[in-house]
Amino acid sequence: QDRDLPFASNASKLEKPLIITGHQAPISAMTFGAPGTNTIYTADTDGVIVQWNGNTGNPNGRVFVIDEVDTDILGKVHGGATISSLAFCQNDENEDGKGTLFSAGWDDHLRITRGTHCIDKLPLEAQPNALSTGTALTVVMTVEGLLLVQHRKIISQLFRLPYRATAICLSRDDATLYIGGDDGNIYVYSVHSSDAVNPLVETHVLRQSHGQPVQSLRLSNDGTKLASSDVRDVCIHSTDDYSPIVSKGRWCFHTQSIRSLAWSPDDTILASGGNDDDIFLWSWEKKMTRIQYRFAQ
């Protein structure tokens, strides 16, 4: 069942029909697929997910739900509800080794996709706001607390927090979870996925690491540095002793919420994207150096 639209403006000039697909609503989430494939997934506020070929920039097609009737043929995976987060898990007992895409939507479901086929869904106890994956584990942040997902199953009870979580980041080895709070603190937890009742144990708190609610967290590829952001500041801490590498008040040139952070492959450059439509490139080795792309949307 194809959700793409065959199109040819002038058939005599085309060797084969073009395939036109994409989004008709604002994009609300994005993530990469399996390493080495250069596959990109994007999602929007209509609940649509599109898989893209990152090498060509062309779409591979929309994700569609297996064994569900798509009455409007638009491929609304989450039934028209906004998709708040996407996350790709490489090792999720997938026999073909291609990994699993998780999508969280405001229909209060976690959808499970392989390739362009949505094969399952898990009901959530509360509205999800964010996802983070390690190697085999996925953490779902909801407005009421956290849930752990592994092998297409929810393996924990809802873990409620004494503060409001605003950002999460799971280490690659599934052992450590970093949570940003609305109090400006960053909380560090050890993960015990075998304990359904108490899967998280607090081990450290980076108190007042930010003066505003934490908006985004991102571990470096080697796991030695944790980047964080709020409505103004971008900070970096060592994950060894949690000492600051870049403290608040130094990288403070965004003017609105900084909702996205990304490390370069060699971990020398950190990129930040904000609601001010600006992108900054930062060097933690040369802290006074920055590159700004204004109105990057």
Side-chain angles (χ1 to χ4, degrees), residues 9-144:
S9 60
N10 188 337
S12 63
K13 296 182 180 180
L14 295 174
E15 295 180 358
K16 60 181 180 179
L18 296 175
I19 301 297
I20 306 298
T21 190
H23 294 281
Q24 295 177 300
I27 293 175
S28 54
M30 173 181 171
T31 193
F32 287 96
T37 65
N38 210 5
T39 299
I40 300 171
Y41 291 93
T42 54
D44 65 28
T45 56
D46 275 347
V48 172
I49 301 173
V50 179
Q51 185 194 78
W52 302 84
N53 183 324
N55 292 317
T56 66
N58 295 324
N60 296 329
R62 289 189 177 187
V63 171
F64 63 92
V65 181
I66 298 294
D67 297 329
E68 287 188 16
V69 177
D70 186 3
T71 56
D72 57 9
I73 66 169
L74 293 178
K76 295 181 178 180
V77 176
H78 283 267
T82 293
I83 297 174
S84 57
S85 186
L86 296 174
F88 191 86
C89 188
Q90 179 61 26
N91 182 13
D92 193 54
E93 288 191 337
N94 193 352
E95 294 179 357
D96 59 13
K98 295 182 179 180
T100 300
L101 176 74
F102 292 95
S103 58
W106 288 0
D107 58 350
D108 296 347
H109 279 84
L110 183 70
R111 290 276 187 172
I112 299 167
T113 297
R114 289 179 177 166
T116 56
H117 298 166
C118 179
I119 60 174
D120 203 356
K121 64 179 179 180
L122 301 175
L124 303 174
E125 298 181 46
Q127 186 179 96
N129 287 333
L131 299 172
S132 185
T133 60
T135 297
L137 189 67
T138 298
V139 179
V140 185
M141 184 181 80
T142 76
V143 296
E144 297 293 338

Side-chain angles (χ1 to χ4, degrees), residues 206-218:
L206 283 74
R207 298 193 181 280
Q208 295 302 304
S209 55
H210 287 269
Q212 301 288 338
V214 178
Q215 299 294 321
S216 184
L217 295 169
R218 182 60 63 93

